[in-house]
Amino acid sequence: MDAEDRSFELEQLRLLEIRLSLREPFHSATGVVAARRVLLVEIEPRDAAPVWTECVALESPHYTPECFETAWLALRDWLAPRVLGQEMESPLELAALLAKGVRGHEMARAAIEMGAWTLLAERWGQSLSTVLGGSRQRVGTGIALGLEKEPAVLVDKARKAIERGYQRLKVKIEPGRDVDFLLSLRQAVGDAVSIVADANSAYAAVDWEIFERLDTLGLTMIEQPLEWNDLVQHARLQERLETPLCLDESVTDLGRAREMVELRAARVLNLKPGRVGGLGSAKAIHDLCFERQIPVWCGGMLETGIGRAYNVALASLPNFSRPGDLSPSERYWQQDIVWPHWTMDGEGWVDVPTAPGLGVEIDVERIEALKVREEVLRARNRVTGP
Ligand code: MG
């Protein structure tokens, strides 16, 4: 793949499963994650070095319909065969091939599509951020705090996060662990601290009394309070609330983002490349929101340092004006699978890499040591001899 030649071809995809224990289990309204089954993809192009991506699908389908096993199946049986051995001109052409005749499976599609952007960045000798149109040298970071048994535990963790430099607190909520927890937190940290409540669809429109109370707490936003795929109810709720709503699970592609804008279903968007089918789609949604003055920020999926690299590059785009869930490696992992580990300074900033490509070295030795399953996919009907 030389600089003159725009086209690229993928020769091999290697799917790998590794398991990484979290430093502490993470609780949200839809489940608990204690260890992460991580699906990594090593993408080998013709005439260039391999690149790595991470599929962010969780173990069970509690966040969106996708899960680890469906992503593996989709990659192996439907997605890899349509792109392996194909000559393609751009990541956008690759994305179109992956999406044609395939409904859903956004995270599986993103796991291939994002790699094409890294290939392009390496070929152009530019950082992934630059290739995507990024304009920030560093990105602001907030912490995501899981559900706790007692408000005091939440307050203690929040205080430590503020001391560490995090620019805002995002707190998971569910019925019974919402207003009192957030009120204690607000009283403990004061009015100046930005607090976001993330409900992961744990409420219904009839819970109006709870929303009315949440609306008095000076929250920066309430994320995805209602059904994961319901925009109309969110729009009705947003109309009644002072606090901006933010959507996450509901927006899975550019079309849904347009509907969100038209219906005024939220005033902020949490934008994750995996959830929307890749970086090209994320960039298009970013541009739409920019035009319509809807700020976006990048949420997390308990990624390793590989997924983090894609998120940080995306979050360097101009409309990512709110801190993202871009915690440093030490927040979740004893030891990350990239070098250097992701770090954050004392004021909650993470530097955007400037080196060509992804900007981090993949710790292949450690990945091989952690590997519990692997599958190598090559183009069908292709002669692969010497
Ligand atoms: Mg969320």
Side-chain angles (χ1 to χ4, degrees):
M1 195 156 67
D2 62 55
E4 300 300 308
D5 184 8
R6 279 182 56 82
S7 67
F8 66 95
E9 184 181 321
L10 308 182
E11 255 182 10
Q12 178 179 297
L13 298 184
R14 185 159 68 110
L15 312 183
L16 298 95
E17 175 180 352
I18 63 165
R19 305 214 178 171
L20 277 181
S21 294
L22 288 161
R23 277 176 178 254
E24 56 172 10
F26 189 83
H27 296 256
S28 71
T30 49
V32 52
V33 180
R36 191 77 165 90
R37 288 175 76 188
V38 183
L39 201 174
L40 300 175
V41 187
E42 185 191 30
I43 301 174
E44 264 187 47
R46 184 168 53 81
D47 305 333
V51 295
W52 289 77
T53 65
E54 173 174 352
C55 178
V56 297
L58 299 170
E59 184 156 4
S60 76
H62 65 257
Y63 170 74
T64 62
E66 280 187 285
C67 65
F68 185 96
E69 292 294 340
T70 64
W72 191 290
L73 174 78
L75 281 160
R76 184 191 63 203
D77 290 359
W78 306 318
L79 301 175
R82 57 177 62 205
V83 294
L84 282 168
Q86 288 286 334
E87 203 165 286
M88 292 167 284
E89 294 292 323
S90 69
L92 297 179
E93 186 186 342
L94 174 106
L97 269 178
L98 291 171
K100 196 176 172 203
V102 172
R103 291 183 183 168
H105 301 283
E106 290 84 4
M107 294 175 189
R109 284 191 273 128
I112 301 179
E113 192 260 10
M114 296 196 303
W117 289 96
T118 302
L119 280 176
L120 197 65
E122 286 186 354
R123 181 163 48 166
W124 290 358
Q126 294 179 341
S127 69
L128 184 60
S129 159
T130 303
V131 167
L132 291 172
S135 60
R136 295 172 193 276
Q137 277 82 51
R138 55 184 197 169
V139 292
T141 299
I143 196 168
L145 295 166
L147 290 165
E148 299 293 347
K149 288 202 170 73
E150 301 287 335
V153 181
L154 174 67
V155 167
D156 184 49
K157 288 188 175 177
R159 282 204 171 110
K160 286 187 179 128
I162 294 166
E163 267 167 39
R164 176 69 184 80
Y166 282 102
Q167 296 180 3
R168 64 107 177 94
L169 308 169
K170 171 167 134 174
V171 180
K172 296 287 184 180
I173 58 168
E174 68 175 9
R177 287 193 271 190
D178 42 40
V179 179
D180 294 344
F181 280 67
L182 291 170
L183 189 57
S184 298
L185 183 59
R186 177 57 82 207
Q187 283 164 351
V189 301
D191 290 340
V193 173
S194 168
I195 303 175
V196 173
D198 185 6
N200 291 107
S201 304
Y203 298 85
V206 293
D207 294 320
W208 171 246
E209 278 175 26
I210 295 171
F211 291 118
E212 224 174 1
R213 293 179 67 198
L214 290 175
D215 210 18
T216 64
L217 297 174
L219 299 173
T220 305
M221 61 190 102
I222 302 171
E223 183 177 337
Q224 197 69 47
L226 305 175
E227 270 300 297
W228 72 277
N229 56 1
D230 190 330
L231 293 174
V232 173
Q233 293 296 336
H234 278 105
R236 287 186 181 145
L237 181 61
Q238 179 65 93
E239 215 177 355
R240 299 176 73 183
L241 290 177
E242 292 276 331
T243 310
L245 292 184
C246 169
L247 290 180
D248 175 359
E249 285 92 326
S250 291
V251 176
T252 49
D253 60 18
L254 181 61
R256 293 289 280 173
R258 279 203 194 100
E259 289 171 10
M260 177 195 88
V261 171
E262 293 307 320
L263 289 167
R264 298 176 204 271
R267 295 184 199 141
V268 189
L269 179 65
N270 174 349
L271 187 48
K272 304 172 179 175
R275 198 192 65 226
V276 299
L279 291 167
S281 165
K283 199 170 139 53
I285 294 169
H286 163 276
D287 294 349
L288 168 77
C289 289
F290 204 5
E291 197 186 300
R292 304 299 290 262
Q293 296 177 314
I294 293 173
V296 301
W297 57 278
C298 185
M301 293 292 294
L302 303 172
E303 291 95 346
T304 71
I306 296 177
R308 178 69 76 248
Y310 287 96
N311 288 353
V312 167
L314 179 67
S316 72
L317 267 62
N319 195 33
F320 281 83
S321 53
R322 306 291 179 90
D325 292 337
L326 302 164
S327 285
S329 305
E330 60 168 25
R331 157 89 173 118
Y332 295 119
W333 318 113
Q334 293 288 353
Q335 190 185 332
D336 208 334
I337 55 171
V338 297
W339 292 107
H341 286 182
W342 287 97
T343 55
M344 179 183 83
D345 74 11
E347 291 176 338
W349 296 103
V350 171
D351 285 333
V352 178
T354 52
L358 198 53
V360 286
E361 293 287 325
I362 311 298
D363 190 345
V364 179
E365 211 172 290
R366 180 162 155 75
I367 291 172
E368 294 293 344
L370 291 167
K371 184 177 73 185
V372 295
R373 178 180 170 197
E374 163 180 44
E375 206 159 332
V376 175
L377 312 169
R378 295 185 67 86
R380 275 187 208 141
N381 309 320
R382 253 189 101 79
V383 180
T384 54

